[in-house]
Amino acid sequence: MIVSTVFYATADTYTPRKREFRGAWIQCVNGQFIGMSTQKMQQTLSYQLDELQKDGVNAIFFQVRAECDALYKSDLEPWSRFLTGKQGQAPSPYWDPLQWMIDQCHSRGMELHAWLNPYRAKTKTTSALASNHVAMRHPGSVFAYDGLFILNPGQPSNRDYIIKVVNDIVTRYDIDGIHMDDYFYPYPVAGLQIPDDREFKQYNNGITDRADWRRDNVNVFIKECGESIHKIKPWVKFGVSPFGIYRNKRAGVEVGSNTNGTQNYDDLYADILLWVNNGWVDYSVPQLYWQIGHKAADYKTLIEWWGRYASKRPLFIGEDVERTVKFADIDNPNINQMPAKFALHQQQPYVQGTVLWYAKAAVDNVGNYGTMLRNNYWRYPALQPRMPFIDSKAPKKPKKLAVVWTNDGPVLFWTNPKAKKWGDEVTKSVVYRFKKGEKINLDDPSKIVGITAETMLRLPYDGGKQKYTYVVTSLDRLSNESKGAKKKVRL
């Protein structure tokens, strides 16, 4: 039963942040786009993006590679069946969903992170592969496991192949990030063994424990992939969204949570903490899809654990919209768990954002979730969290602020400063508005009236009764913010 009671957290229990990652996953692997015409899919995505923008979302994770395929023009991998219904078949009328989504997201002030599943080569529901699919061209590069095909992480050539695919995307598309989820080695199935005897014998590099060797395979891939991305474009963020449990605490395992479930480290061979602590990834988004009070994986226990151990890189929380509104608040059964979860976010000093699983659930306003975002938690725009380990220098402030009176009313114009290198380049501007007599406080998100890629903003006019001070700042690719340029105007 969905708890759909309307509730509102009061201002003293939740303070909107000026900097916050507010993401949403848009997946293809659930088949939501199969059979859609180009026009219908564009209409569907446009509607979702419009609603998510109203909800305050500022970043989209768009799934472009679900099974060594492509929702973009690729010379390396076939068109995805999750786009056209048949793997290898181009969309008709032709379009490039990734390029289209980049343009649409950027026009709305959102980041676009290309979401790839690195090792999965075939999902359970796919019955036919295109002739140019990697599993058809190189059958020995994959192994079968529980209806899946997996690019064998034990083969160094597969590591090189995935990075080649990533490099192709980073080079050709103006993305803001490369995102990978929790599918590294496959989720374990009772009675099934991973067939990697030959690889372990051939490529063990002196590592005698097979579990350590499997982890090393993934560690080397993550390190090399991040380095390759930043070599091509230093500003492109590399992030992962691991399963929500790193390890269960038990005898001999001190750095574990008080949980009892599948583990990244032991079961998926993904040592997330190593990647975070060594700076091999730029952010992590653990998938905390359970409810507060879950017996095996309590949400409160897990958000506190990740906040304690994964804070050396920006930490965002993967949030299950449907399950959040399905379960009642432990202390107040008349409402769902959304207020309690957002309170936990605010209480954790190292949690810098949220990513919604999945976008359509928020768009459909399941359990009033979208309404709560736009009216309360995310009612003001937010800048992306800074990543000073990539770039910490702010650009110069805007120049030549001027108000021009047009037939449609007053418009504020400005000029971006010139850039000598990528770190100086202005990609967006933030516009603040203050009433006469108000203190200029650029830390107050309620004063933000626009975050825009344009160098203009239309102003509301009410007969010239009020005096305002507008302040415009510059943002670079890593959301470093300049000092403000001011312009007084009577509206």
Side-chain angles (χ1 to χ4, degrees):
M1 177 182 176
I2 299 291
V3 180
S4 57
T5 307
V6 177
F7 50 78
Y8 292 91
T10 56
D12 60 345
T13 59
Y14 192 84
T15 304
R17 297 173 176 176
K18 177 182 169 178
R19 287 188 181 270
E20 191 170 42
F21 193 93
R22 300 172 177 174
W25 279 287
I26 296 182
Q27 81 274 44
C28 70
V29 75
N30 66 342
Q32 65 172 319
F33 303 124
I34 292 178
M36 280 190 182
S37 66
T38 297
Q39 181 182 19
K40 177 62 175 176
M41 185 170 168
Q42 290 179 353
Q43 288 174 346
T44 300
L45 287 169
S46 292
Y47 174 73
Q48 290 188 7
L49 292 176
D50 286 343
E51 293 302 299
L52 293 168
Q53 184 181 26
K54 294 172 188 174
D55 290 342
V57 168
N58 61 18
I60 297 295
F61 293 163
F62 182 54
Q63 190 174 27
V64 299
R65 182 182 187 263
E67 49 180 3
C68 294
D69 54 0
L71 269 82
Y72 60 95
K73 178 66 179 75
S74 173
D75 293 330
L76 302 175
E77 297 187 313
W79 283 103
S80 175
R81 80 170 184 89
F82 295 111
L83 177 64
T84 63
K86 180 182 178 181
Q87 191 176 94
Q89 180 176 305
S92 180
Y94 179 84
W95 69 306
D96 184 325
L98 175 55
Q99 183 58 57
W100 188 88
M101 283 291 287
I102 291 168
D103 294 339
Q104 293 292 316
C105 286
H106 287 177
S107 71
R108 292 170 173 82
M110 296 173 172
E111 289 191 349
L112 189 285
H113 294 232
W115 164 20
L116 292 75
N117 302 91
Y119 293 109
R120 188 172 61 197
K122 184 187 84 68
T123 60
K124 293 183 180 182
T125 56
T126 296
S127 57
L129 297 176
S131 60
N132 62 330
H133 188 275
V134 64
M136 300 295 284
R137 291 186 291 111
H138 304 289
S141 67
V142 304
F143 61 76
Y145 190 91
D146 190 35
L148 306 170
F149 282 172
I150 304 293
L151 276 175
N152 194 329
Q155 297 181 14
S157 58
N158 282 336
R159 188 161 62 231
D160 297 337
Y161 173 71
I162 300 167
I163 292 173
K164 184 179 180 180
V165 171
V166 169
N167 289 348
D168 177 54
I169 296 172
V170 173
T171 301
R172 293 193 296 118
Y173 292 93
D174 186 22
I175 55 172
D176 300 287
I178 288 287
H179 180 75
M180 295 180 180
D181 60 10
D182 52 332
Y183 292 99
F184 297 102
Y185 274 87
Y187 276 74
V189 176
L192 290 184
Q193 300 297 319
I194 293 172
D196 57 4
D197 288 348
R198 181 171 61 88
E199 286 77 16
F200 182 46
K201 185 177 181 180
Q202 186 173 355
Y203 302 114
N204 62 54
N205 295 322
I207 300 173
T208 56
D209 181 87
R210 191 176 305 221
D212 287 341
W213 170 73
R214 288 174 178 167
R215 276 186 288 272
D216 187 64
N217 292 330
V218 184
N219 291 341
V220 172
F221 163 67
I222 291 292
K223 181 176 186 293
E224 291 181 351
C225 189
E227 289 172 348
S228 184
I229 290 167
H230 289 144
K231 186 176 180 180
I232 298 169
K233 291 180 180 176
W235 60 86
V236 172
K237 304 167 185 178
F238 179 39
V240 295
S241 58
F243 185 71
I245 298 173
Y246 175 67
R247 301 189 83 182
N248 300 311
K249 192 172 185 179
R250 56 191 182 277
V253 179
E254 291 304 314
V255 184
S257 51
N258 290 315
T259 50
N260 182 23
T262 302
Q263 306 161 99
N264 282 289
Y265 185 92
D266 302 85
D267 302 318
L268 306 177
Y269 306 102
D271 191 353
I272 311 296
L273 291 194
L274 182 73
W275 311 344
V276 167
N277 290 328
N278 285 350
W280 295 347
V281 295
D282 299 316
Y283 65 84
S284 65
V285 193
Q287 299 170 23
L288 305 191
Y289 291 169
W290 304 278
Q291 70 270 26
I292 299 169
H294 190 286
K295 290 182 180 179
D298 173 52
Y299 182 95
K300 182 175 185 293
T301 297
L302 284 165
I303 194 173
E304 291 173 351
W305 187 93
W306 284 98
R308 179 179 179 185
Y309 289 103
S311 59
K312 287 196 175 180
R313 281 292 184 261
L315 172 64
F316 317 136
I317 302 301
E319 204 73 65
D320 188 308
V321 172
E322 290 184 341
R323 280 188 248 186
T324 295
V325 299
K326 177 181 178 181
F327 291 97
D329 184 281
I330 291 176
D331 299 319
N332 184 357
N334 293 321
I335 63 173
N336 64 41
Q337 290 196 356
M338 188 178 184
K341 286 187 174 182
F342 269 82
L344 285 170
H345 280 233
Q346 193 127 73
Q347 291 162 17
Q348 301 301 312
Y350 295 110
V351 171
Q352 299 183 48
T354 308
V355 184
L356 306 177
W357 177 258
Y358 46 98
K360 190 174 183 298
V363 170
D364 291 345
N365 200 25
V366 175
N368 230 37
Y369 200 99
T371 299
M372 287 300 298
L373 289 178
R374 67 180 65 182
N375 290 341
N376 194 333
Y377 301 112
W378 293 354
R379 65 185 181 274
Y380 304 127
L383 282 61
Q384 293 289 347
R386 294 177 67 248
M387 294 191 175
F389 46 87
I390 299 178
D391 173 39
S392 61
K393 186 180 178 182
K396 293 182 179 179
K397 66 182 181 181
K399 301 183 295 183
K400 301 179 182 177
L401 266 67
V403 176
V404 177
W405 294 83
T406 71
N407 292 334
D408 295 327
V411 180
L412 177 64
F413 288 92
W414 61 89
T415 303
N416 287 333
K418 293 182 179 179
K420 294 182 179 179
K421 55 184 184 296
W422 74 262
D424 302 326
E425 183 183 349
V426 175
T427 57
K428 291 195 282 277
S429 300
V430 188
V431 184
Y432 304 80
R433 186 175 79 165
F434 300 90
K435 293 180 180 178
K436 182 181 179 181
E438 273 188 328
K439 182 181 178 182
I440 304 295
N441 177 15
L442 301 189
D443 292 326
D444 183 353
S446 71
K447 302 303 178 184
I448 298 174
V449 293
I451 300 175
T452 177
E454 298 183 333
T455 53
M456 55 162 281
L457 188 77
R458 297 191 181 280
L459 306 181
Y461 183 68
D462 188 24
K465 301 172 185 176
Q466 290 280 355
K467 288 183 178 179
Y468 296 98
T469 298
Y470 280 82
V471 180
V472 184
T473 62
S474 303
L475 291 179
D476 64 17
R477 288 183 178 272
L478 272 300
S479 205
N480 295 300
E481 187 178 21
S482 74
K483 294 180 179 179
K486 301 176 186 177
K487 182 68 177 178
K488 293 184 177 180
V489 61
R490 185 188 292 270
L491 296 173

